[in-house]
Each structure stands twice: as structure tokens, then as C-alpha cells.
Amino acid sequence: MKYHHGNLKEALIQAGLDILNEDGLESLSLRACAARAGVSHGAPKNHFANLAVLQAAIATEGFRKFAATMRAHMEQAPGDARSQIIASAKGYVAFVEDNPHLFRLMFSMERKLDLYPDLLPASREAYAVLREVASGLSPDNCENPVHQTTAETMLWTFIHGYANLKANRQFYTANAETGKDPALEDIFPKFFYTEKD
């Protein structure tokens, strides 16, 4: 990709996304992004004071794509609570599997609003998807009913853990017993899919 006048910032972010996808997080640098975008190694300073600021911009774009991936899966699923939860989870997993290095960057960034003003809103946009589907959970199904925020956190923890285990091929026991990873539908606890009355 070559830089065209007027879109250097976007070109550098896309260069970073491409580098993450092809070479991994360790290869991401201002110099590498500049080379990928076809500009001098000093050009990124016009938009990004340092690598951390560029990483934040890349992570911001990642969170937007992350939210869009989950919603795209949800649009293809039935509208009942369980189907929407499963669909969002599958979108979550698909994003992690397709973008492992970007995902790692996204969840390693500090949310410094003064330095990276767009990062927190973008991450909240992604969390809003989980909050939306979590409204279909039934905290009353727990032996000790919990607050809705706790239900959201439990759902997020479950999906995030599953996605990481699957992406890193760490379902050792399941693979040894069945030859394949456990399906989300099979391991979701009853708490996660019984709709409220």
C-alpha cells in the first residue's frame, strides 16, 4: 500500500493492521508502518508522537471491527436471547481467531483518555454488544441471584476465556477425548441461556 496525500493517518493505521496480521505484534513499529505505507521513517510523527499512540489508534480500529464482527453474527441468528448470546460469542471467537495479534494488542492497552481519547469509547462500543445480549440472561437462575452487572461480567469472562483457549489451541483435555474443541452451544451453562420470564 502506498501513501496518498491527505490520508497518511489512515494509511499508517492500516499498515499497522496489516503488519499485525502478517508478522505479529513484535514486528509492529513506527518505522515498519512508515515503510509499509511508503513514507519516510519520520513521517508518522506528523500524526503519532510515539509507538504507543499509534498502537492506541490501531487498537481503536480493532475494537470497532470487533463490535462489527459480533453484530454481523447476531444479524444472521434468530432473535431469541439464547441464539443472540451464542451468535455474539461466535462472533467474538471468530474475531480472535482471525486477528490474534490485534486482539492481544487491544487488550494490552491502557485506557488513558488524555493520551488516547478514542480508545475507551471504541472499547465500550464492543462491550455494549455483550451488555445488549446479557440483558437476556436470567440472574434469578443462580442459587444466589446476582446483579445484572455481575451477569454481564460472568458472560464476558466465559466468552473471553473460551475464545483465548480456542485461539491458542489449549483445549487439551477436550481434544484428547473427542478430537475437536467443545462447541459453545454444548458448554454454555443454563444460567447463560434461560430467558427471563
Side-chain angles (χ1 to χ4, degrees), residues 38 64 70 76 139 151 176 195:
R64 290 173 181 151
M70 287 188 283
Q76 301 300 316
E195 296 187 60

Side-chain angles (χ1 to χ4, degrees), residues 1 6 22-23 51 65 72 74 76 105 114 124 140 142 148 150 162 173 189:
M1 175 178 63
E22 296 173 16
D23 304 314
L51 178 59
K65 292 177 181 292
M74 291 164 63
Q76 301 300 316
L105 173 66
D114 54 335
R124 284 178 171 165
D140 292 342
C142 291
Q148 185 64 32
T150 302
Y162 178 92
T173 302

Side-chain angles (χ1 to χ4, degrees), residues 30-41:
L30 285 173
R31 186 178 291 269
C33 288
R36 183 93 183 198
V39 297
S40 69
H41 65 81

Side-chain angles (χ1 to χ4, degrees), residues 52-74:
V53 178
L54 175 56
Q55 287 177 325
I58 294 168
T60 297
E61 183 62 22
F63 276 112
R64 290 173 181 151
K65 292 177 181 292
F66 185 34
T69 300
M70 287 188 283
R71 291 202 179 279
H73 279 72
M74 291 164 63

Side-chain angles (χ1 to χ4, degrees), residues 1-187:
M1 175 178 63
K2 295 298 182 182
Y3 161 56
H4 298 288
H5 181 69
N7 67 348
L8 176 57
K9 183 176 181 180
E10 292 76 14
L12 290 168
I13 292 172
Q14 186 59 54
L17 290 167
D18 293 340
I19 289 168
L20 286 173
N21 184 53
E22 296 173 16
D23 304 314
L25 184 55
E26 291 72 19
S27 298
L28 185 65
S29 68
L30 285 173
R31 186 178 291 269
C33 288
R36 183 93 183 198
V39 297
S40 69
H41 65 81
K45 296 287 186 179
N46 293 322
H47 294 285
F48 304 106
N50 52 47
L51 178 59
V53 178
L54 175 56
Q55 287 177 325
I58 294 168
T60 297
E61 183 62 22
F63 276 112
R64 290 173 181 151
K65 292 177 181 292
F66 185 34
T69 300
M70 287 188 283
R71 291 202 179 279
H73 279 72
M74 291 164 63
E75 288 173 3
Q76 301 300 316
D80 62 280
R82 180 174 188 269
S83 296
Q84 288 293 293
I85 292 170
I86 294 290
S88 68
K90 286 184 174 180
Y92 199 117
V93 171
F95 183 87
V96 176
E97 290 189 308
D98 290 342
N99 306 276
H101 301 291
L102 174 58
F103 190 76
R104 181 177 152 205
L105 173 66
M106 288 158 52
F107 281 90
S108 67
M109 294 295 302
E110 292 186 64
R111 309 299 195 263
K112 294 182 178 178
L113 287 177
D114 54 335
L115 296 177
Y116 322 130
D118 296 328
L119 181 58
L120 185 58
S123 67
R124 284 178 171 165
E125 180 184 344
Y127 184 78
V129 179
L130 287 177
R131 171 165 284 168
E132 180 182 316
V133 297
S135 66
L137 300 178
S138 292
D140 292 342
N141 285 346
C142 291
E143 183 176 347
N144 297 304
V146 298
H147 190 275
Q148 185 64 32
T149 301
T150 302
E152 292 171 11
T153 304
M154 290 176 68
L155 177 63
W156 185 22
T157 301
F158 182 85
I159 297 173
H160 190 86
Y162 178 92
N164 275 281
L165 288 168
K166 185 171 175 60
N168 292 305
R169 298 178 175 84
Q170 293 178 331
F171 281 117
Y172 299 128
T173 302
N175 283 331
E177 293 173 353
T178 68
K180 60 183 180 180
D181 293 337
L184 275 166
E185 295 92 332
D186 296 336
I187 61 175

